mmCIF file of all heavy atoms in Angstrom:
data_model
loop_
_atom_site.group_PDB
_atom_site.id
_atom_site.type_symbol
_atom_site.label_atom_id
_atom_site.label_comp_id
_atom_site.label_asym_id
_atom_site.label_seq_id
_atom_site.Cartn_x
_atom_site.Cartn_y
_atom_site.Cartn_z
ATOM 1 N N ASN C 292 14.601 -5.140 10.827
ATOM 2 C CA ASN C 292 15.768 -5.995 10.601
ATOM 3 C C ASN C 292 17.057 -5.306 11.039
ATOM 4 O O ASN C 292 17.946 -5.929 11.616
ATOM 5 C CB ASN C 292 15.864 -6.384 9.119
ATOM 6 C CG ASN C 292 14.715 -7.277 8.689
ATOM 7 O OD1 ASN C 292 13.981 -7.800 9.532
ATOM 8 N ND2 ASN C 292 14.532 -7.437 7.392
ATOM 9 N N PHE C 293 17.159 -4.024 10.743
ATOM 10 C CA PHE C 293 18.361 -3.268 11.137
ATOM 11 C C PHE C 293 18.374 -3.038 12.649
ATOM 12 O O PHE C 293 19.413 -3.136 13.285
ATOM 13 C CB PHE C 293 18.408 -1.934 10.385
ATOM 14 C CG PHE C 293 18.738 -2.085 8.926
ATOM 15 C CD1 PHE C 293 17.753 -2.264 7.979
ATOM 16 C CD2 PHE C 293 20.074 -2.062 8.495
ATOM 17 C CE1 PHE C 293 18.067 -2.420 6.636
ATOM 18 C CE2 PHE C 293 20.393 -2.207 7.150
ATOM 19 C CZ PHE C 293 19.374 -2.385 6.215
ATOM 20 N N LEU C 294 17.210 -2.706 13.197
ATOM 21 C CA LEU C 294 17.140 -2.459 14.642
ATOM 22 C C LEU C 294 17.562 -3.705 15.421
ATOM 23 O O LEU C 294 18.410 -3.632 16.322
ATOM 24 C CB LEU C 294 15.711 -2.060 15.034
ATOM 25 C CG LEU C 294 15.498 -1.746 16.514
ATOM 26 C CD1 LEU C 294 16.061 -0.363 16.858
ATOM 27 C CD2 LEU C 294 14.015 -1.804 16.889
ATOM 28 N N ASN C 295 17.004 -4.835 15.041
ATOM 29 C CA ASN C 295 17.256 -6.059 15.795
ATOM 30 C C ASN C 295 18.678 -6.576 15.621
ATOM 31 O O ASN C 295 19.176 -7.320 16.460
ATOM 32 C CB ASN C 295 16.245 -7.141 15.393
ATOM 33 C CG ASN C 295 14.820 -6.736 15.728
ATOM 34 O OD1 ASN C 295 14.609 -5.768 16.462
ATOM 35 N ND2 ASN C 295 13.848 -7.454 15.197
ATOM 36 N N ALA C 296 19.322 -6.164 14.517
ATOM 37 C CA ALA C 296 20.721 -6.571 14.284
ATOM 38 C C ALA C 296 21.702 -5.566 14.889
ATOM 39 O O ALA C 296 22.905 -5.664 14.664
ATOM 40 C CB ALA C 296 20.981 -6.715 12.785
ATOM 41 N N GLY C 297 21.177 -4.589 15.626
ATOM 42 C CA GLY C 297 22.060 -3.580 16.214
ATOM 43 C C GLY C 297 22.633 -2.644 15.171
ATOM 44 O O GLY C 297 23.707 -2.064 15.372
ATOM 45 N N GLN C 298 21.923 -2.478 14.068
ATOM 46 C CA GLN C 298 22.420 -1.636 12.975
ATOM 47 C C GLN C 298 21.558 -0.382 12.792
ATOM 48 O O GLN C 298 21.647 0.291 11.768
ATOM 49 C CB GLN C 298 22.427 -2.454 11.675
ATOM 50 C CG GLN C 298 23.388 -3.632 11.754
ATOM 51 C CD GLN C 298 23.253 -4.580 10.582
ATOM 52 O OE1 GLN C 298 22.252 -4.573 9.883
ATOM 53 N NE2 GLN C 298 24.268 -5.404 10.374
ATOM 54 N N CYS C 299 20.732 -0.099 13.746
ATOM 55 C CA CYS C 299 19.852 1.076 13.685
ATOM 56 C C CYS C 299 19.552 1.516 15.117
ATOM 57 O O CYS C 299 19.388 0.662 16.007
ATOM 58 C CB CYS C 299 18.563 0.709 12.945
ATOM 59 S SG CYS C 299 17.310 2.003 12.948
ATOM 60 N N ILE C 300 19.489 2.823 15.318
ATOM 61 C CA ILE C 300 19.189 3.331 16.666
ATOM 62 C C ILE C 300 17.731 3.762 16.765
ATOM 63 O O ILE C 300 17.041 3.426 17.721
ATOM 64 C CB ILE C 300 20.114 4.523 17.011
ATOM 65 C CG1 ILE C 300 21.576 4.090 16.919
ATOM 66 C CG2 ILE C 300 19.795 5.045 18.406
ATOM 67 C CD1 ILE C 300 22.572 5.221 17.127
ATOM 68 N N PHE C 301 17.267 4.503 15.776
ATOM 69 C CA PHE C 301 15.879 4.983 15.767
ATOM 70 C C PHE C 301 15.160 4.381 14.552
ATOM 71 O O PHE C 301 15.490 4.726 13.417
ATOM 72 C CB PHE C 301 15.826 6.507 15.669
ATOM 73 C CG PHE C 301 16.565 7.219 16.770
ATOM 74 C CD1 PHE C 301 17.808 7.801 16.526
ATOM 75 C CD2 PHE C 301 16.029 7.311 18.051
ATOM 76 C CE1 PHE C 301 18.497 8.460 17.537
ATOM 77 C CE2 PHE C 301 16.713 7.969 19.068
ATOM 78 C CZ PHE C 301 17.958 8.535 18.814
ATOM 79 N N ALA C 302 14.224 3.498 14.833
ATOM 80 C CA ALA C 302 13.463 2.867 13.748
ATOM 81 C C ALA C 302 12.014 3.303 13.866
ATOM 82 O O ALA C 302 11.358 3.018 14.868
ATOM 83 C CB ALA C 302 13.568 1.350 13.848
ATOM 84 N N VAL C 303 11.517 3.997 12.857
ATOM 85 C CA VAL C 303 10.118 4.424 12.902
ATOM 86 C C VAL C 303 9.287 3.514 12.006
ATOM 87 O O VAL C 303 9.588 3.349 10.814
ATOM 88 C CB VAL C 303 9.956 5.887 12.458
ATOM 89 C CG1 VAL C 303 8.470 6.281 12.474
ATOM 90 C CG2 VAL C 303 10.736 6.814 13.387
ATOM 91 N N ASP C 304 8.287 2.923 12.590
ATOM 92 C CA ASP C 304 7.381 2.033 11.861
ATOM 93 C C ASP C 304 6.029 2.105 12.566
ATOM 94 O O ASP C 304 5.903 2.691 13.638
ATOM 95 C CB ASP C 304 7.934 0.598 11.861
ATOM 96 C CG ASP C 304 7.381 -0.236 10.701
ATOM 97 O OD1 ASP C 304 6.285 0.079 10.199
ATOM 98 O OD2 ASP C 304 8.054 -1.216 10.305
ATOM 99 N N SER C 305 5.059 1.475 11.974
ATOM 100 C CA SER C 305 3.711 1.505 12.551
ATOM 101 C C SER C 305 3.691 0.799 13.900
ATOM 102 O O SER C 305 4.435 -0.158 14.140
ATOM 103 C CB SER C 305 2.745 0.818 11.591
ATOM 104 O OG SER C 305 1.485 0.661 12.197
ATOM 105 N N THR C 306 2.776 1.238 14.765
ATOM 106 C CA THR C 306 2.570 0.467 15.988
ATOM 107 C C THR C 306 2.005 -0.909 15.635
ATOM 108 O O THR C 306 2.126 -1.852 16.411
ATOM 109 C CB THR C 306 1.593 1.186 16.948
ATOM 110 O OG1 THR C 306 0.347 1.390 16.279
ATOM 111 C CG2 THR C 306 2.151 2.527 17.397
ATOM 112 N N ALA C 307 1.416 -1.003 14.444
ATOM 113 C CA ALA C 307 0.905 -2.293 13.981
ATOM 114 C C ALA C 307 2.028 -3.180 13.446
ATOM 115 O O ALA C 307 1.765 -4.244 12.898
ATOM 116 C CB ALA C 307 -0.154 -2.089 12.909
ATOM 117 N N GLY C 308 3.267 -2.750 13.622
ATOM 118 C CA GLY C 308 4.410 -3.598 13.267
ATOM 119 C C GLY C 308 5.263 -3.878 14.485
ATOM 120 O O GLY C 308 6.410 -4.325 14.368
ATOM 121 N N ALA C 309 4.688 -3.641 15.662
ATOM 122 C CA ALA C 309 5.474 -3.725 16.901
ATOM 123 C C ALA C 309 5.959 -5.134 17.214
ATOM 124 O O ALA C 309 6.964 -5.306 17.913
ATOM 125 C CB ALA C 309 4.647 -3.200 18.067
ATOM 126 N N THR C 310 5.254 -6.149 16.710
ATOM 127 C CA THR C 310 5.671 -7.515 17.042
ATOM 128 C C THR C 310 6.964 -7.909 16.335
ATOM 129 O O THR C 310 7.490 -8.983 16.575
ATOM 130 C CB THR C 310 4.575 -8.535 16.668
ATOM 131 O OG1 THR C 310 4.220 -8.328 15.302
ATOM 132 C CG2 THR C 310 3.350 -8.361 17.540
#
Side-chain angles (χ1 to χ4, degrees):
Chain C
N292 293 347
F293 288 90
L294 181 76
N295 297 347
Q298 296 171 342
C299 174
I300 302 175
F301 303 104
V303 178
D304 203 335
S305 172
T306 58
T310 53

